[in-house]
Amino acid sequence: MSAQIINGKKTAEELEAVLKSDIAELPSAPGLAIIQVGDDEASTIYVRNKLKAAAAIGINAVLHKFSEDVSQKEIADLIITLNNNKNINGMIVQLPLPAHLNEEELLDLIAPKKDVDGFHPLNIGRLQNGSSKALLAATPKGILYLLEKEKIDLTGKNALIIGCSKIVGRPAGMLLLQHGCTVTFAHIHTQNLPQLVKTADIIIAACGCPQMVKAEWIKEGAVLIDVGINRINGKLCGDIEAAAAEKASFFTPVPGGVGPMTVAMLLQNTYEAYLKQNHK
Ligand code: GUN
């Protein structure tokens, strides 16, 4: 079987072009605030990509960068200020945060209507309930967009989610459940991963373990969504062995698969938040 590559980079570029022309019609630029604490190398790259992509389509993105030893109160005060700033439509706190900060308390402070990462309990509850009012986490939203764009039938399919983070695994599983999949969550204590992979029609690998999912486990014709961005000897690789693609019907490459969609969906959430806040 010759597997089809799901080109997330191209899809993200197309989406961003549409967003750019939609934003050009607005009376003012949507505003996005990004809060970053410390100098985590991966976070700095992600934040740079978000700022650049936002600027390219007319979103006014502002970085609030703090040193590693910033206090909880300083960040909390900024979030409250941004909640009350009419020019800011979306806000994210780049994760991970240093251990001395209480992440849950800070994320809970973000006004749900500005929570363009979809991490606030209200948006997670809305997702759980299948409410169209939910702002959805960017990576799972991007994954669903790619699956739907490729017209991959989800109804009744066995979907295996590997990695249960609140950023990707949990919300992705919930979205697939709502689209008719039978969802299994695998995690660090899962004992029979090869067996679960062998029966999975759709695999979302988001565990951050380089090439953990082996090609020999993959069911013929499976759909492989690889969220991993790892390096082995300086070379980028995903959580799924590259050779697995030969057995798949569809697969996302690393890089150029899911990664660019995360940025595109963050921008789309910011645009949608702007429209809702301005009653458009
Ligand atoms: N860290 C890794 N991915 C993400 C993301 O999507 N949003 C935020 N805020 N932090 C992250």
Side-chain angles (χ1 to χ4, degrees):
M1 175 179 296
S2 79
Q4 214 169 306
I5 296 179
I6 302 178
N7 190 337
K9 184 165 184 282
K10 181 162 169 273
T11 303
E13 282 167 5
E14 288 165 2
L15 270 165
E16 286 166 22
V18 172
L19 279 172
K20 184 177 180 177
S21 66
D22 288 344
I23 287 169
E25 303 289 314
L26 298 175
S28 58
L32 170 67
I34 300 180
I35 300 173
Q36 184 188 355
V37 181
D39 287 305
D40 177 84
E41 203 179 323
S43 290
T44 299
I45 295 170
Y46 294 145
V47 166
R48 194 189 304 140
N49 290 344
K50 290 171 187 181
L51 289 167
K52 198 171 149 209
I57 66 163
I59 288 177
N60 187 14
V62 187
L63 175 63
H64 298 269
K65 193 158 187 297
F66 292 90
S67 63
E68 191 84 17
D69 59 357
V70 67
S71 70
Q72 179 86 5
K73 182 166 185 318
E74 248 179 292
I75 306 282
D77 286 348
L78 173 62
I79 292 173
I80 292 163
T81 304
L82 293 169
N83 281 342
N84 293 319
N85 181 341
K86 287 202 165 33
N87 296 321
I88 294 297
N89 308 105
M91 183 192 329
I92 69 167
V93 177
Q94 189 65 29
L95 304 177
L97 289 172
H100 73 280
L101 295 175
N102 184 333
E103 174 184 311
E104 185 180 358
E105 197 177 285
L106 292 174
L107 295 181
D108 285 4
L109 271 182
I110 297 176
K113 65 180 181 183
K114 299 192 178 187
D115 169 38
V116 284
D117 255 337
F119 295 163
H120 189 281
L122 186 68
N123 282 315
I124 292 168
R126 284 171 171 161
L127 163 63
Q128 165 96 14
N129 289 342
S131 162
S132 60
K133 284 187 186 168
L135 276 164
L136 296 176
T139 305
K141 188 178 179 183
I143 291 170
L144 187 68
Y145 189 95
L146 290 174
L147 293 171
E148 290 188 327
K149 181 162 188 276
E150 299 294 345
K151 300 193 170 34
I152 293 166
D153 185 16
L154 301 176
T155 314
K157 296 290 164 62
N158 288 331
L160 176 64
I161 314 292
I162 306 175
C164 294
S165 70
K166 72 159 176 266
I167 294 177
V168 184
R170 288 170 198 237
M174 195 49 66
L175 274 181
L176 290 187
L177 176 66
Q178 279 160 14
H179 284 77
C181 289
T182 302
V183 179
T184 303
F185 288 95
H187 46 73
I188 198 153
H189 300 297
T190 298
Q191 290 182 358
N192 56 345
L193 188 64
Q195 280 73 25
L196 294 175
V197 171
K198 280 175 191 169
T199 58
D201 303 305
I202 300 168
I203 295 170
I204 298 186
C207 53
C209 309
Q211 301 182 348
M212 193 183 74
V213 180
K214 305 298 175 204
E216 62 184 269
W217 302 345
I218 304 292
K219 178 174 159 179
E220 205 66 45
V223 175
L224 306 181
I225 305 295
D226 196 341
V227 186
I229 303 177
N230 313 291
R231 275 186 198 277
I232 295 185
N233 298 328
K235 196 169 175 284
L236 274 186
C237 69
D239 291 348
I240 304 177
E241 261 190 347
E246 287 161 31
K247 294 170 88 176
S249 55
F250 291 88
F251 72 98
T252 58
V254 178
V258 175
M261 290 299 292
T262 297
V263 177
M265 290 296 146
L266 171 69
L267 303 179
Q268 191 181 72
N269 278 350
T270 305
Y271 172 67
E272 285 170 8
Y274 173 100
L275 294 183
K276 280 199 190 131
Q277 286 161 41
N278 290 281
H279 312 293
K280 299 245 179 256

